[in-house]
Every structure is written in structure tokens, then in C-alpha cells.
């Protein structure tokens, strides 16, 4: 069992809430398919703890459709950050913006998607954690316990590990292990009656790089591998990363 470092928030009080960052396809008004697992994982955390679930997204339009999608999937509060500026889409400026959102809301659990939540590179959650000096737990297979200021999870980092961390922490679930549940018609109808909190996005720095093209990463089955000797482990590592 590995004990992660202790982190203390400075400047704001922690609340018993879950903050989930998600990305929307503004043309279709739908949640990014890779972030369906993000919202499902966050909903399960809500059900296990009774904490308030806040959904957050940065977008340029389609606010009503985005809010309905969030509310229908179990979010208690939808916060939509309006970004109408051009050419500010690099990871650094996105991470700075999300850092400010995390500090403003002060939730104990912050959830990022494995390959989305604003970009498809898979490193945004770790970037934000670095800016905040906050515990970062990727590749979560299962939340064993979450109570008060402690979370215990199983991850698939180097094989399967049981980790214990202080909260707040940034959590990244494995997307294929948290498939979304069907949305009921009554949830869709109730979602139409609710209104999001719309906030102007904070000032971003000038972009230093731009995404020209991206394709959906190949999904691989990532079951844990049991090895019986150090030599066998070394052979697996060499096979995967090269000699």
C-alpha cells in the first residue's frame, strides 16, 4: 500500500462536493463520448458519499443543450464557463483556467476524463494537479472508500495498486470500466426545468501551441498482469518500451 503526500488547501474552505470537468461537442450539443465515463464515475461517487455533484465545462455556445445533458445524468449544479475568445486553446491556458475553477469551488474530489475534459491528449488532469500541488490519481479501477478527508482506490498504474490519499485530490477513472447508464425519459424532462450557472471564463494567457489534428486513441484492454519473478517483469517491461 502506498501513502500519497498530504496536501492542504490554502485560501478557501473545502466542501463535501465533487467537481467533474466534461467536454461538449457544441455542434451536436452532446457530451463528448469519452467523458460519458467521467460523469458516470462522478455520479457513483455522489451515490456513495451523498455529496453534491457539480459539472463544469468550458464552451462557446450550446449552453441549454449542455445543461440539459448534465442535469439528466445526475449533476446537481451545472456551471458553464463562457469562452468566446479565439486562438486560446492550448493545454497550458486550459489548465490555468481549470485551476481557477478548482480554487473557486473548493470541492474535495475533482474528476477529469482520461482522454477528454477539454482536450484529447490525456494530460490535462495531471497538468492542473501540478499547478495546484495537489494529489493526482490516474487509472482508477475502483473507489474502495471515500470518507471525510481520505480516499482509498484501486488503480492500474504498475499492475494493480491500492492507494490511500488525503483529499482534495484529482481523480481520473479508466473510461472503459465506467460505462454510462441509460438516461430515463423522466430525467430528461426534469432536466429541461433546471437552469445552469453561466460564468464568463477567466482571462487566459496567449496560446503557445495549437491542435491541428487529433484522432481517437486506440482503446486497449488493460487487465493486470501477474508475474512470478523479477526476470519475467523485466521481460514484460522491455517488450513494451524496448531494450
Amino acid at each position: 500500500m502506498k501513502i500519497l503526500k498530504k496536501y492542504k488547501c490554502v485560501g478557501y474552505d473545502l466542501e463535501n462536493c465533487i467537481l467533474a470537468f466534461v467536454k461538449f461537442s457544441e455542434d451536436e450539443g452532446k457530451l463528448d463520448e469519452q467523458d460519458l465515463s467521467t460523469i458516470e464515475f462522478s455520479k457513483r461517487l455522489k451515490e456513495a458519499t451523498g455529496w453534491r455533484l457539480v459539472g463544469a465545462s468550458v464552451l462557446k455556445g450550446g449552453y441549454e443543450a449542455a445543461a440539459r445533458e448534465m442535469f439528466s445524468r445526475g449533476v446537481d449544479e451545472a456551471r458553464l464557463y463562457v469562452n468566446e475568445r479565439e486562438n486560446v486553446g492550448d493545454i497550458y491556458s486550459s489548465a490555468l483556467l481549470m485551476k481557477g475553477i478548482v480554487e473557486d469551488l473548493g470541492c474535495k474530489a475533482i474528476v477529469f476524463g482520461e482522454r477528454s475534459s477539454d482536450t484529447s491528449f490525456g494530460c490535462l488532469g495531471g497538468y492542473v494537479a501540478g499547478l495546484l500541488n495537489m494529489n493526482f490519481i490516474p487509472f482508477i479501477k475502483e473507489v474502495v472508500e471515500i470518507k471525510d478527508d481520505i480516499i482509498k482506490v484501486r488503480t492500474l498504474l504498475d499492475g494493480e495498486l491500492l492507494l490511500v490519499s488525503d483529499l482534495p485530490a484529482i481523480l481520473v477513472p479508466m473510461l472503459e470500466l465506467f460505462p454510462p447508464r441509460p438516461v430515463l425519459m423522466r430525467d430528461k424532462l426534469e432536466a429541461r426545468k433546471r437552469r445552469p450557472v453561466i460564468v464568463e471564463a477567466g482571462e487566459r494567457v496567449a496560446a503557445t501551441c495549437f491542435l491541428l489534428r487529433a484522432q481517437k486513441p486506440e482503446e486497449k484492454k488493460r487487465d493486470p498482469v501477474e508475474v512470478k519473478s523479477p526476470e519475467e517483469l523485466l521481460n514484460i517491461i522491455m517488450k513494451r518500451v524496448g531494450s
Side-chain angles (χ1 to χ4, degrees):
M1 181 183 299
K2 183 179 179 182
I3 306 298
L4 299 185
K5 66 182 181 181
K6 196 177 185 69
Y7 171 81
K8 291 296 184 183
C9 280
V10 178
Y12 60 96
D13 294 327
L14 285 177
E15 295 184 17
N16 287 338
C17 62
I18 302 156
L19 172 59
F21 284 105
V22 293
K23 180 181 177 182
F24 280 87
S25 171
E26 296 170 14
D27 295 335
E28 300 177 1
K30 294 182 179 180
L31 193 67
D32 188 293
E33 64 176 14
Q34 296 184 61
D35 266 336
L36 291 173
S37 63
T38 308
I39 209 76
E40 174 64 27
F41 174 83
S42 303
K43 186 176 179 180
R44 294 188 194 183
L45 275 185
K46 170 189 170 180
E47 293 169 348
T49 61
W51 294 357
R52 180 169 57 96
L53 173 55
V54 181
S57 186
V58 182
L59 62 171
K60 297 180 180 179
Y63 309 117
E64 292 184 4
R68 288 198 299 268
E69 181 80 357
M70 280 190 181
F71 285 130
S72 68
R73 293 187 179 276
V75 166
D76 297 304
E77 179 182 340
R79 298 183 67 88
L80 306 179
Y81 291 82
V82 180
N83 173 32
E84 296 180 347
R85 304 179 184 90
E86 298 294 333
N87 299 328
V88 287
D90 65 328
I91 294 177
Y92 178 58
S93 60
S94 296
L96 284 178
L97 173 59
M98 294 183 174
K99 171 181 177 289
I101 295 172
V102 171
E103 290 175 326
D104 288 342
L105 296 178
C107 292
K108 287 186 177 180
I110 301 97
V111 183
F112 277 85
E114 186 179 344
R115 300 191 187 112
S116 186
S117 294
D118 194 49
T119 73
S120 298
F121 293 101
C123 59
L124 190 57
Y127 211 138
V128 175
L131 291 174
L132 288 164
N133 192 30
M134 186 178 289
N135 286 343
F136 175 62
I137 311 176
F139 305 121
I140 293 176
K141 177 181 179 181
E142 177 190 7
V143 175
V144 178
E145 182 181 13
I146 180 169
K147 184 179 180 181
D148 299 327
D149 294 330
I150 295 292
I151 186 170
K152 183 186 296 184
V153 301
R154 297 188 190 280
T155 74
L156 292 180
L157 292 170
D158 297 313
E160 185 175 299
L161 296 177
L162 180 64
L163 303 181
V164 178
S165 169
D166 288 333
L167 295 174
I170 289 180
L171 314 174
V172 180
M174 295 179 65
L175 66 90
E176 68 266 31
L177 297 184
F178 300 93
R181 284 169 278 186
V183 178
L184 302 177
M185 181 57 66
R186 72 164 182 266
D187 295 328
K188 292 182 179 180
L189 294 175
E190 285 296 323
R192 291 179 175 271
K193 303 175 184 178
R194 305 176 67 183
R195 295 291 179 266
V197 177
I198 299 180
V199 185
E200 183 175 353
E203 194 69 31
R204 290 189 178 192
V205 299
T208 56
C209 61
F210 302 96
L211 176 63
L212 299 180
R213 184 179 63 182
Q215 64 186 40
K216 183 177 178 181
E218 179 183 356
E219 295 184 10
K220 298 180 180 179
K221 189 174 182 180
R222 298 177 288 190
D223 291 334
V225 177
E226 181 178 351
V227 295
K228 298 181 179 179
S229 67
E231 291 76 16
E232 187 177 351
L233 174 60
L234 179 61
N235 289 334
I236 292 175
I237 295 173
M238 291 180 65
K239 181 178 179 182
R240 294 190 178 183
V241 303
S243 59

